Amino acid sequence: MKNFGLDIWANKNFIIEDGEIKLNYKCMPSLLEITNKIRANDVKGPMILRFPHLVKRQIKTLYNYFEKAIEENKYQGSFHAVFPLKVNQFPAVVEAVTIQGEKYNYGLEAGSKAELILAMSKTPKGAYITVNGFKDEEMLTLGFIAAQSGHKIIITIEGLNELETIIDVASKCTLAVPDIGIRVRLHSAGSGIWAKSGGMDAKFGLTSTEIIEAINLLKNANLLDKLKMIHFHIGSQMSDIAPLKKALREAGNIYAELKKMGADSLSSINIGGGLAVEYDQHEQSHARNYSIDEFSSSVVFLLGEIMDAKNVTHPDIFTESGRFIVASHAVLIAPVLELFSQDYQEKLLNFKESNPPLIEELIELNKLLNNANCIEYLHDALDHIESLFTLFDLGYIDLQDRSNAEILVHNIIKKALYLKSANPTNELEQLQIKLQERYLINASVFQSLPDYWGLGQHFPVMPINHLNTTPLRAASLWDITCDSDGEIGFNPQKPLYLHDVNIDEEDYFLGFFNVGAYQETLGMNHNLFTHPNEYTIKINDTSYEIINAIESKNILDILESLGYDKDHILDKLKSDLSTSYFITEKEKNDTLAKLETFIYQNGYLRTTN
Ligand SMILES: *Cc1c(COP(=O)(O)O)cnc(C)c1O
């Protein structure tokens, strides 16, 4: 895995230079430099770094490719996009999306009442709000309020009952009526691990019979002019473009048929989200089989073709891609706290004037090991260590000899594994799994990478320093929750190698990339670890700024959010300590002060790292 697969997943957003990973933008700060700057203010534990320029880049890419496809295909409709809030509702993200998207009239999509309220307060006038998901009368009324307040809002109905409620609300008040979309239930299903949103048995959408019924309901209520959009969404992280094409044909033909049935104001097709992000670090398994270029061209070309065949004006195209827009903007920085088997370092070797012959042989093997001889030398070393263990048991060598032997053999195995890492033998693979190094990271997988825990989704991971030396240790990552699921195990098919570092002497940080979509609000407070500290990094030509710092919830606040009385907890702890015996008044007071500091910090570890 050369350069940790940077050329596969990083989309040129990052580059490796001088042994560090840097932002490939303007003054090009390194992640290590930013991390150290933040940590200089006594910040410990994991943190999320946000880069708004990467949100801008994705929005621009999306619009540019669709506009290019529209021009190339002489397509008559226009292109619009909205950001689905469920992908990341954090303030710094919504701000980046709305500010960077303003010149495109980039809007917001809401799937719940809370998200709709957020959209109504944050969508710039002139940009669209689209609403999906199941809705009650209250939520639909909010849609009327948004329309009345001047928003361009389109409510997509997921079932006939929602339409009936809209008609009912419209008849009861004189508020402006929002535009209406219909989510169609397609017989073609999506692809990828999230593909539950399409298909005949999908959770959402109207069948053909229901669509006809909807048209009649709208006609009878005199609201047919409010029907503007046909909507579908075949699931997130589409790995294959073929199902999208199928869905487009189906939805395009439904659109054309409805136009023929007199739905004159119908003017747009919303193709939902699903545009995939490359999370893979290894050559053999890319997450998607298409580019944004192919994606946009296919959508525009196909819709044009269907409409031309049926002699229908080209509809405007809406997309709701979320993952594609924000996944790359966030990096999780997790300090490594410990390597579990630091004891086998070469520098701990302590030879004698004269060593036992087998140890002398191991020294030679270790020195002369190379690509051509490594399997043979490895077998010799494994053979020798068996003999050395026997000699130790029989009392012929001492503990120092044994320690030297273990370090040497460990080292020989590590070197052999590395030399053959491109093409390991079965035997080496087994050794590798046995000898992997466990890196303890100051973060929670449950909080910060929930899709790894829940779906096995891999996120690109790499150290942010040491990049001018070759990593040799097969690595598994352990988080600080006391749950055995909080582990990212070593996968011999997609190996991760990290550096052999001495954490007592130097910092070692891992960066997890493309974590900006879905992870943050899906993350859970397992063991009461909360959302990490977060920072927005604004990069300029000659300098960068660290803004919008939000600290992780402190221990008392997380307990309070569960419903505990935090004053009571604090009082109880203090009074128990105050009334204890056998320490001086001074030590008591110092300890009370310490207790107070601890309890107002977040729960991540504060050991050296
Ligand atoms: C979740 C969702 C999206 C966003 O999907 P991405 O894969 O993040 O692009 C878009 N539209 C609807 C209706 C959704 O439910």
Side-chain angles (χ1 to χ4, degrees), residues 66 69-70 72-76 188 232 234 238 240-256 269 271 293-317:
F66 267 96
I70 282 177
E72 282 173 4
N73 289 284
K74 300 199 169 51
Y75 190 83
Q76 294 138 20
S188 45
F232 68 88
I234 59 175
M238 281 185 307
D240 182 6
I241 198 166
L244 176 76
K245 291 187 177 173
K246 259 195 184 157
L248 274 168
R249 285 207 183 86
E250 200 179 338
N253 278 298
I254 292 173
Y255 178 92
I269 289 195
I271 63 169
D293 200 0
E294 181 183 349
F295 178 85
S296 50
S297 303
S298 303
V299 170
V300 172
F301 172 79
L302 261 178
L303 284 179
E305 190 184 56
I306 294 162
M307 299 309 148
D308 291 346
K310 293 213 160 170
N311 215 1
V312 170
T313 317
H314 297 173
D316 292 342
I317 299 168

Side-chain angles (χ1 to χ4, degrees), residues 84 86-87 132 183 231 233 236-237 273-274 320-323 518:
K86 77 163 187 279
V87 183
N132 298 305
R183 181 154 179 174
H231 176 270
H233 169 68
S236 203
Q237 187 68 356
E320 296 175 332
S321 275
R323 184 186 297 275
Y518 295 103

